[in-house]
Amino acid sequence: MATWFRMHEHCPACGLDFDRNESGHQVGSYLVAMIVIELLFVGIFVAILAATWPTPPWDALAIGGPLLMLLGPLLLFPFTKTVYLAFDLTLRPDEDA
């Protein structure tokens, strides 16, 4: 990872090109991020409701939920991009390898 939001162009160990040079490839990593964040949100929400029922902290949930939805993809970006690349390479191996 060159920076948090910009990956190296090639793997320093094996030379694999991280950019698949295809239209819409970036959308896959966004999809992985959305799925992970939504599952995390639902899990945390249900756990808090179960732990604090019958008086759940609605104000904290109303503030924490949107914060998680906004900050989660930013925090998980490099990981979800890498997971999507691994998934894509599993289904469609690199032709140059």
Side-chain angles (χ1 to χ4, degrees):
M1 182 168 45
T3 66
W4 193 258
F5 296 107
R6 189 170 80 62
M7 292 179 65
H8 291 287
E9 292 182 18
H10 303 283
C11 174
C14 69
L16 174 71
D17 188 10
F18 289 136
D19 186 14
R20 299 287 281 188
N21 294 322
E22 295 174 355
S23 174
H25 182 74
Q26 188 74 14
V27 177
S29 65
Y30 297 153
L31 178 65
V32 171
M34 284 177 36
I35 290 170
V36 168
I37 293 301
E38 288 176 10
L39 289 174
L40 188 62
F41 169 75
V42 169
I44 291 171
F45 187 82
V46 169
I48 290 173
L49 283 180
T52 61
W53 196 260
T55 57
W58 293 115
D59 291 338
L61 291 172
I63 293 169
L67 277 176
L68 176 65
M69 293 296 184
L70 289 173
L71 296 177
L74 297 175
L75 296 173
L76 294 178
F77 175 73
F79 308 108
T80 57
K81 185 167 176 71
T82 305
V83 167
Y84 180 72
L85 179 62
F87 180 73
D88 190 38
L89 285 170
T90 300
L91 295 178
R92 298 177 315 118
D94 189 23
E95 296 169 357
D96 296 333

